Amino acid sequence: MPELPEVETIRRQLAPHLEGRALREVEILDPRWTRPDPPGPVQDALRGRVVQEVGRAGKYLVWRLSGERYLIMHLRMTGALLFDPPADPPHTRVRFALDGGHRLVYNDPRRFGTGHLVTGAPSRDSYLGRRLGVEPLTPAFTAAHLRAQARGRTAPVKSFVLDQRRIAGVGNIYADEARFRAGIHPLRAAGSLTRPQYEALREAIEHALTLGIDAKGATIDDFRHVDGAQGSFQDLFCVHQRVGRPCPVCGTAIRKLVVGGRGTYVCERCQPRPRAGRGAVRARAPGASGGEQL
DNA sequence: CGCCCTGTTGGGGA
DNA sequence: ATCCCCAACAGGGC
């Protein structure tokens, strides 16, 4: 569930509950969570530390703990953090007991989520720097930067936007919605956009993420079955997982492609498909056989 | 009921 | 640089 807007929402909700509190006890129930570190030592190293700050980098939550430790969490697809849940949910992976009798539960059915404990800011920066590019909601995120990053790149712009080492925190839903707003087809080669299109893409990513944060944790699931979503959110969830439904701008049926192994939704009228040859990338077929849906 | 496909992510190997 | 597959599970379609 968590893309950047959801992670930011979680961070904002969690920070007041955690900051200034000590971790009285930590139980790591799923050994894979701390991979590649052994869970036992991590458990022991966390115990008794005070949470000084809950930050975010891309889709990572970064806890700054006393003693120069940093807990770097990623919730992947299905991870969730629950503060004072009435009972442990079915897929509880980690339990934190906090000051004042409070507790925090990390729940994750698919077990993709990870938690890494590092020592010192340089280690934290090295971990994150190796994985993350520019933060999209900062002044450093400019059209010129996008263009420079994409220069000479032949991979589809879809994959480019999803590459966390280029732009930190844009996931599959927001990538689709941003490209729709910018009128850019996912199969365009990343390096083939015009200058105005890089700016349009930058603006659309910023717009979508900002709306997403305003949605306070609401996701496409909350809008999927609603035809006319409310207010500005009808602006946010236009194409993703809406195969066959009309494009809100021109009425053309939304199509599904598979690009970079990910479901990709597009209005091929608002987002003109590149002609085979220059600036085009081969489409891949959903499922075992060929072709695109609808 | 069972089989098959899909998925809000990222890492590793080819 | 780029592409494919995988992790582990739930839910939906057939």
Side-chain angles (χ1 to χ4, degrees):
Chain A
M1 161 174 156
E3 292 203 16
L4 185 151
E6 289 81 37
V7 176
E8 176 60 18
T9 300
I10 290 166
R11 187 196 71 73
R12 290 179 188 183
Q13 291 174 345
L14 223 49
H17 292 304
L18 298 189
E19 287 174 359
R21 289 214 158 97
L23 306 175
R24 283 252 197 269
E25 184 58 73
V26 178
E27 297 171 86
I28 300 175
L29 308 173
D30 177 10
R32 301 176 58 85
W33 185 68
T34 54
R35 192 183 29 164
D37 305 320
V42 172
Q43 226 167 253
D44 295 339
L46 286 171
R47 186 177 301 118
R49 295 192 186 275
V50 176
V51 182
Q52 297 177 327
E53 185 186 2
V54 181
R56 178 190 60 75
K59 300 175 206 172
Y60 292 90
L61 280 174
V62 183
W63 302 18
R64 181 162 60 84
L65 305 170
S66 51
E68 281 296 290
R69 302 299 180 108
Y70 294 87
L71 177 61
I72 305 175
M73 295 185 55
H74 198 299
L75 276 39
R76 284 305 223 282
M77 308 261 288
T78 53
L81 286 163
L82 293 78
F83 186 75
D84 282 343
D88 280 3
H91 302 289
T92 296
R93 308 304 180 191
V94 185
R95 273 197 294 254
F96 303 86
L98 306 164
D99 282 343
H102 294 289
R103 58 199 211 97
L104 182 74
V105 168
Y106 176 65
N107 192 58
D108 188 354
R110 265 174 102 168
R111 301 166 68 191
F112 285 178
T114 54
H116 287 268
L117 183 64
V118 300
T119 302
S123 297
R124 173 202 60 187
D125 293 342
S126 157
Y127 182 98
L128 296 172
R130 213 177 311 139
R131 294 169 171 81
L132 299 178
V134 63
E135 282 286 332
L137 297 180
T138 64
F141 184 52
T142 63
H145 182 268
L146 263 190
R147 180 165 168 271
Q149 288 286 302
R151 183 166 189 171
R153 202 153 292 283
T154 59
V157 65
K158 159 90 174 185
S159 308
F160 172 78
V161 170
L162 286 181
D163 185 346
Q164 303 297 297
R165 294 166 302 183
R166 311 223 112 82
I167 311 167
V170 184
N172 203 28
I173 295 176
Y174 286 88
D176 276 3
E177 299 298 344
R179 276 194 334 274
F180 170 73
R181 179 176 171 88
I184 295 169
H185 195 281
L187 292 178
R188 290 285 300 279
S192 76
L193 306 195
T194 65
R195 281 176 193 256
Q197 284 177 322
Y198 286 116
E199 172 51 24
L201 185 58
R202 185 213 64 76
E203 187 279 338
I205 289 171
E206 176 187 59
H207 175 86
L209 294 177
T210 303
L211 276 190
I213 291 173
D214 288 345
K216 294 181 172 44
T219 69
I220 193 167
D221 287 324
D222 302 309
F223 298 94
R224 184 171 300 156
H225 305 295
V226 185
D227 228 332
Q230 317 276 314
S232 56
F233 299 123
Q234 69 190 122
D235 212 43
L236 178 52
F237 301 109
C238 294
V239 292
H240 192 82
Q241 295 198 357
R242 286 183 167 268
V243 180
R245 314 185 69 160
C247 163
V249 172
C250 74
T252 301
I254 304 298
R255 297 183 60 188
K256 177 183 181 181
L257 317 175
V258 175
V259 180
R262 252 79 167 178
T264 302
Y265 301 82
V266 59
C267 168
E268 291 200 297
R269 179 154 161 168
C270 293
Q271 303 164 254
R273 180 183 276 257
R275 281 169 291 224
R278 67 136 186 34
V281 182
R282 255 189 310 280
R284 295 231 326 133
S289 57
E292 299 152 8
Q293 283 177 285
L294 270 186

